[in-house]
Each structure stands twice: as C-alpha cells, then as structure tokens.
Amino acid sequence: MGEDTEAVDVIVVGAGLAGIACAYRLALAGRSVVLVERGTTVGSKNVSGGRLYTYALEAVEAGLTREAPFERSVVREQIVMMDDDRSMTVSLAGPPAAVDDLPTSVTVLRSRFDAWFADRAEAAGVMLATGIRVDSLLVEDGRVVGIMAGGEEMRAGVVVAADGVNSFLAREAGLVGELSAHAVGVGVKEVIALDAATIEARFGVGPGEGAATLMLGCTAGVHGGAFLYTNADSVSLGIVVSPEQVTASGTTTHGMLQALKAHPAVRPLVAGGTTLEYAAHLVREDGWRGVPKRLARDGFLVTGEAAGFVLNLGYTVRGMDLALVSGVAAAEAIVAGGDLEIAYRTALDRSGLPATMHAADGYADLMGIERLYRTYPGLVLDVAQSLFTVDARAPRPIRTQVRAAMRAHHVPLRAVLRDGLVGVRSI
Ligand SMILES: Cc1cc2nc3c(=O)[nH]c(=O)nc-3n(C[C@H](O)[C@H](O)[C@H](O)COP(=O)(O)OP(=O)(O)OC[C@H]3O[C@@H](n4cnc5c(N)ncnc54)[C@H](O)[C@@H]3O)c2cc1C
C-alpha cells in the first residue's frame, strides 16, 4: 500500500466471518473491495467453540452450506450439570433439525473454514491483504476516507470495521467506548485429536454426525460454563468465564480447563486424544445492551462482534451467524447508498438480527444469577442422587429431600423463588 494507491470503493478491516461476508457480497455487487487482515493467514487468529447455524451461510449466498468444509452436522444436544465429581446430562437426540435438507447447525474449525470462505471471496473479486495490521483511520473534514497501516495510507469510499470483539477502529471512530470487563467472557479452548470412529462411538452419533455439549457447574463457582463440540476427527473443548471473577477467585482459566478434562464426565470422552491446538480469546456477553447507539458515521460502519452482535444464551453461543448476517447487511447498506446509518439499520432489520437480539435481551439477567454457577448444579445433583438412592429406610418425600439439599447448600427458599422469578421474567 503506497501513497499513490488508488482509492477503492470499500476497505473491510478484519477477515473474520463478518468481514469476509461483507467483502464477498460487495464484490458480488461489483464493488472494488480490499479485505485487510492482520493474521498472516485467514482464520489463524480466530477462535470459536465451533457451532455455526447454517441459515446465516445461506443468507450470504444460497447453496454455500453444501460447499462449506464443515466438520459434522449437529444431531445431538446435551446439557450437563456438574460439580467436582458428579454430573447429570440432559440429552436431546432424534431426527436432526433440518431446513431444505440442510442441517440447521454444523461444527467448524475456523482456520479451515475461514480460509475456504476467504478463497471464495477472492474468487468473487475481493482483494485480500493478509499480514497487515490497520493502525488507525484516515479522517478528513469529519469523514472517514481510509486507513493507515504501517505508516502508509489507503483510501476508500467506505471503511468497514469487522475487527472483532475489541474493535479499536469503532472506538477511534467514536461509536463505542472502552470495553468493560463485565461485558466480556474470556474463553480458552483445546482442539483434541480423536479418530472419527472413536468420536462416533463415544458420542452416540453416526458418520458425519456430531454432538454439541454445554456444561454448567465446572467453573469453580466463577460465572461461566464450558462447551464440547465434535469435529470430523477432533473435539473442541473449552471454557468461557468472567475475567473479573477469575482474577478474584485465585484460579486460572487454564487450570479450570485442565480440571474439566480430568472430570469423570469428560475424561472418558477425550481419553487417548492428543492436543492439537490451544487458543484463548474474549467473547462479548452483554447481548443487545452492548450494541452501540450508532453503528455508522460518514464513510464508516461497524459490523460483527465489533458491533457487539453476539448472544450467549447459556445453552448456545451465537456469534458466527450474527457476524455473517450483519456483514451481509453492511454490504447491502453500502450498495444502497445514502445515509449509512439509516441504510444499515434498514438492512439489519430486514435480516432479523435486531429482533433476534431483542428477544434474547433478558438472558443477560438469567445468566447473571450467581447461584447458577456456584450453587444450583450441586443442589440439583444432590436431589437427583437422593432420588436414585435406595436403602433399607423408608424414602423421605421428595419435598423433604429438596429442602434438605437447599439447607446443605445454604440456599433459603426465598432466594430460590427470587431467582426463579428473575429467570422466568428474563426468558
Ligand atoms: C471461546 C469462544 C467460543 C465461542 N463459541 C461460539 C460458537 O460455538 N458459535 C458461535 O456462533 N460463536 C461462538 N463464539 C463467538 C464467535 O466466535 C465470534 O462472535 C465471531 O467469530 C465474531 O466474528 P467476527 O467476524 O465479528 O470477528 P472475528 O472472527 O474475531 O474476526 C475479526 C478479525 O479481525 C482481525 N483484526 C482485528 N484487528 C485488526 C487490525 N487492526 N487490522 C487487521 N485485522 C484485524 C482479526 O485478526 C480477525 O481475523 C465463541 C467465541 C469464543 C471466544
């Protein structure tokens, strides 16, 4: 990029799913577009548990899912409540949810998936520039007219910030403030190699099929949870927790993940596996409340996780699908022209993203109930265990056993009722 570089229609910063989707759609619409990525290869810096909802890929371009290098289609959903050495699993299996013969969700490995997606975008005409870190915006007369990278400038009609969770471009543009610690979770993840037949036997799935497992009660009382997703010949095991509470707890995310691997509910599932990859990343947790009031200004807009488009619903995290649909909406807004903010809001509304995030707004309150992480998993396990324990004594009524478990966990009835009310109101 030199001073004499000709201006392009659009510069997209960040080759994650939002940035690639946006650049791809702009290229398909005949716009000249440069996609700038700081990683030396696309996907090398991107972290996700790995579950992708396919409707979003179809929103980028119909038929894309069939060509995508996904790992397995999810046919089994599992939620595991655990304490130090016990666990209780709710498992939902059956005919896999499908729309138009496509699985509704699949697992992906970002390094493979993002690289494929970027190749598609390049084939459509996107100019991909990897290994370049954008340092700042180029602003003239209050309008964003390009970017600065490595001391050189590059000009464009519009700059799109798709630079992920801690978007400094959106901050520099004045659209968002500093990211606060309670707005994010910190995630660590291992990819563990296992052969396909072993995965299928252990998770009770067929060839090409996979399981998505969310775990609660495995974070040493710290706000957060864990996930385990099956890939073609590996599994992705990770933990996402509140960074503020981890620091205060004296534990580490790495320590929690190692303890999880040794837990009796997880150890047999990963036994014999070799760790291929270890990654750490932040993820937004504040839902719609974290989305900035303005998403655009003259010559600039923000998309994907940079705009806060992530939902943590407890039983699933949705960041990749929202990144894809918001990237498409950003491209549509640029193609539509006129006032960017209005055009972008209109395109987002058409995509259903704001309505989806609004509908889940209360989950932040539900997920904010501390006892969900510290107390309830153990309490539920105590009650379940008492139900399955038979001895020579006459069984006590279930309500008595529930009260005994509540006493043992120091949870008064009024606290359970209060949490229940918060829970019901929030969903
Ligand atoms: C542990 C964990 C588990 C998750 N699990 C799931 C899941 O199972 N399903 C799901 O849907 N979502 C999940 N998410 C969330 C999801 O991964 C993200 O919301 C999503 O990837 C965001 O996409 P994006 O394109 O907006 O940003 P990213 O994918 O973060 O892409 C941003 C890109 O911008 C680049 N970049 C940043 N700054 C610059 C710069 N200055 N110059 C050039 N390039 C730059 C980065 O290198 C990166 O490639 C998870 C997140 C974490 C951390």
Side-chain angles (χ1 to χ4, degrees):
M1 291 190 300
E3 295 271 337
D4 58 348
T5 310
E6 276 186 25
V8 289
D9 292 331
V10 185
I11 295 171
V12 180
V13 182
L17 297 192
I20 303 172
C22 179
Y24 186 35
R25 286 291 292 253
L26 285 165
L28 291 178
R31 299 300 188 273
S32 59
V33 48
V34 175
L35 176 60
V36 186
E37 167 58 39
R38 68 180 169 182
T40 46
T41 54
V42 173
S44 58
K45 291 199 176 274
N46 301 342
V47 180
S48 167
R51 166 186 268 208
L52 173 65
Y53 293 92
T54 57
Y55 83 92
L57 209 48
E58 294 299 299
V60 178
E61 189 178 26
L64 220 45
T65 310
R66 289 189 207 285
E67 293 170 38
F70 64 79
E71 301 294 311
R72 288 173 181 269
S73 44
V74 176
V75 300
R76 182 181 287 273
E77 308 278 355
Q78 306 196 120
I79 296 181
V80 186
M81 288 263 199
M82 51 214 297
D83 64 8
D84 287 348
D85 41 22
R86 299 177 298 175
S87 64
M88 189 169 90
T89 302
V90 177
S91 183
L92 175 69
V99 177
D100 295 336
D101 272 351
L102 289 177
T104 60
S105 79
V106 296
T107 52
V108 297
L109 286 168
R110 294 290 298 270
S111 47
R112 184 164 171 237
F113 185 83
D114 291 20
W116 162 81
F117 196 22
D119 279 352
R120 287 289 301 231
E122 274 193 289
V126 170
M127 289 169 270
L128 175 67
T130 52
I132 295 175
R133 197 198 126 85
V134 175
D135 299 318
S136 63
L137 294 172
L138 195 59
V139 183
E140 284 174 5
D141 301 326
R143 181 183 173 86
V144 176
V145 293
I147 54 161
M148 295 295 297
E152 296 186 356
E153 68 178 46
M154 184 174 202
R155 292 178 168 262
V158 180
V159 173
V160 175
D163 50 342
V165 58
N166 199 6
S167 170
F168 91 91
L169 286 187
R171 218 162 36 241
E172 197 186 327
L175 299 181
V176 304
E178 285 295 325
L179 198 57
S180 72
H182 71 264
V184 290
V186 59
V188 288
K189 169 191 165 184
E190 275 187 30
V191 177
I192 302 168
L194 284 172
D195 66 73
T198 303
I199 291 173
E200 284 145 21
R202 288 182 185 176
F203 290 86
V205 294
E209 296 177 340
T213 307
L214 269 296
M215 293 167 271
L216 206 57
C218 52
T219 52
V222 170
H223 177 126
F227 58 84
L228 178 59
Y229 293 120
T230 52
N231 306 314
D233 47 15
S234 65
V235 295
S236 296
L237 176 69
I239 206 153
V240 180
V241 285
S242 148
E244 283 171 317
Q245 293 186 8
V246 170
T247 313
S249 73
T251 48
T252 62
T253 45
H254 176 75
M256 279 183 205
L257 185 57
Q258 297 320 306
L260 181 64
K261 272 170 84 177
H263 190 284
V266 175
R267 197 177 51 230
L269 297 175
V270 299
T274 315
T275 299
L276 297 175
E277 209 181 290
Y278 187 88
H281 209 273
L282 295 177
V283 58
R284 290 291 291 260
E285 297 231 300
D286 45 356
W288 184 249
R289 296 167 199 186
V291 174
K293 295 275 172 295
R294 285 189 64 84
L295 295 165
R297 56 176 273 193
D298 254 5
F300 179 87
L301 56 76
V302 54
T303 191
E305 192 161 353
F309 295 145
V310 183
L311 281 176
N312 181 354
L313 304 176
Y315 60 91
T316 191
V317 176
R318 293 178 56 182
M320 292 193 284
D321 61 319
L322 302 186
L324 287 168
V325 296
S326 64
V328 170
E332 286 175 352
I334 293 166
V335 171
D339 182 303
L340 265 188
E341 177 78 23
I342 295 171
Y344 192 21
R345 294 276 174 189
T346 307
L348 282 169
D349 284 344
R350 218 171 26 239
S351 78
L353 181 149
T356 298
M357 289 195 75
H358 265 304
D361 194 33
Y363 273 82
D365 295 330
L366 177 67
M367 306 302 287
I369 299 173
E370 290 299 320
R371 274 180 279 266
L372 218 53
Y373 316 100
R374 297 186 200 288
T375 320
Y376 290 142
L379 196 154
V380 169
L381 287 162
D382 280 356
V383 173
Q385 196 160 22
S386 67
L387 290 179
F388 292 109
T389 303
V390 174
D391 57 24
R393 290 174 294 181
R396 291 182 298 165
I398 292 175
R399 63 176 180 280
T400 312
Q401 300 190 32
V402 171
R403 275 205 298 269
M406 283 165 55
R407 267 197 308 278
H409 288 271
H410 311 291
V411 190
L413 181 61
R414 64 176 182 286
V416 177
L417 294 176
R418 201 170 49 235
D419 290 346
L421 201 61
V422 171
V424 168
R425 278 194 184 137
S426 59
I427 54 171

